[in-house]
Amino acid sequence: QKEVEQNSGPLSVPEGAIASLNCTYSDRGSQSFFWYRQYSGKSPELIMSIYSNGDKEDGRFTAQLNKASQYVSLLIRDSQPSDSATYLCAVNEAGAQKLVFGQGTRLTINP
Amino acid sequence: EPEVTQTPSHQVTQMGQEVILRCVPISNHLYFYWYRQILGQKVEFLVSFYNNEISEKSEIFDDQFSVERPDGSNFTLKIRSTKLEDSAMYFCASSEVSRTDTQYFGPGTRLTVL
């Protein structure tokens, strides 16, 4: 059974600070990695995708991938109260046509 | 911006009844998916669909479940005889070209089985 693990939180960060979210995965053959944001009662909304080792930046968000360590992270700079949500790490299972999700990390940004 | 749509937003049904959840994927996408999320739990894969056939399904997707693309735009999930434990949010998703492409999710249908 392929697993994706996240710290469920809650993670509390002051407004304007950097929020750091982490994820590990078990399937060494996975090639595609995604961060989704999910507000309560809503559907997953794509934040970032990353496919290669290293960093990928998009505005205030930076995704980091280390395939050797089977580790993906998401940094949110200049955190805003509107960033308060659950952040889902999702990994495309190798050779399969499906995403495996972590349980999500609940992030709260305190004004 | 194109988006995945789903209807209804909320479906209430009696145990043992059949339900059909509907989705309209993004128009140029070729891969379609159903996921579900029981309240407070992970998002779980149910089934993927490509070229008018199921390409993968999870152990959750048993004989009570079926999917269909009845026309060029709709993608449906049918649950033949609902159980209490089928109560969940059901999300449809689609992706453009390959199995590693980003999947875009619809707003979901909340299914409540009484």
Side-chain angles (χ1 to χ4, degrees):
Chain A
Q1 175 77 344
K2 307 297 191 293
E3 296 285 341
V4 176
E5 299 290 337
Q6 295 180 254
N7 188 330
S8 60
L11 176 64
S12 188
V13 172
E15 184 175 357
I18 296 175
S20 178
L21 305 161
N22 305 313
C23 169
T24 59
Y25 60 94
S26 64
D27 185 357
R28 191 169 282 281
S30 295
Q31 297 295 320
S32 308
F33 308 87
F34 305 91
W35 284 99
Y36 288 86
R37 178 173 62 197
Q38 187 177 34
Y39 293 112
S40 182
K42 302 296 186 183
S43 64
E45 172 193 7
L46 181 73
I47 299 294
M48 296 276 291
S49 60
I50 187 165
Y51 302 94
S52 305
N53 279 329
D55 295 359
K56 179 181 176 183
E57 187 174 320
D58 183 1
R60 296 186 296 113
F61 299 94
T62 299
Q64 300 173 315
L65 174 61
N66 183 326
K67 290 185 180 179
S69 300
Q70 295 174 240
Y71 177 88
V72 196
S73 66
L74 180 70
L75 299 177
I76 308 174
R77 287 181 301 282
D78 188 22
S79 298
Q80 303 296 311
S82 58
D83 294 327
S84 297
T86 297
Y87 288 80
L88 308 178
C89 175
V91 176
N92 199 298
E93 187 177 296
Q97 210 175 330
K98 67 181 187 182
L99 292 177
V100 179
F101 281 83
Q103 69 268 38
T105 297
R106 189 155 53 93
L107 174 67
T108 300
I109 307 300
N110 300 308
Chain B
E1 185 172 321
E3 56 185 24
V4 178
T5 60
Q6 290 186 243
T7 55
S9 57
H10 191 190
Q11 175 90 46
V12 181
T13 190
Q14 295 290 326
M15 190 169 55
Q17 295 296 304
E18 175 183 287
V19 295
I20 298 176
L21 310 182
R22 292 184 167 79
C23 168
V24 178
I26 294 172
S27 62
N28 63 333
H29 285 189
L30 301 179
Y31 292 79
F32 314 124
Y33 313 83
W34 285 101
Y35 292 81
R36 80 171 185 191
Q37 187 176 31
I38 295 170
L39 187 64
Q41 297 188 23
K42 293 184 184 187
V43 176
E44 301 175 286
F45 168 79
L46 292 177
V47 65
S48 58
F49 192 86
Y50 170 70
N51 201 24
N52 282 317
E53 60 183 26
I54 290 173
S55 48
E56 188 139 5
K57 60 183 180 180
S58 72
E59 56 193 29
I60 302 168
F61 194 89
D62 60 22
D63 292 344
Q64 293 300 312
F65 290 88
S66 62
V67 290
E68 192 178 36
R69 186 150 163 87
D71 53 43
S73 58
N74 289 284
F75 179 52
T76 62
L77 174 70
K78 183 193 291 187
I79 309 175
R80 264 180 271 281
S81 177
T82 50
K83 306 182 187 72
L84 295 176
E85 55 264 37
D86 293 327
S87 295
M89 281 289 283
Y90 287 81
F91 297 114
C92 175
S94 67
S95 63
E96 190 170 0
V97 177
S98 77
R99 63 175 58 162
T100 58
D101 273 353
T102 299
Q103 295 183 24
Y104 295 92
F105 284 74
T109 293
R110 178 170 298 283
L111 177 64
T112 302
V113 182
L114 301 176

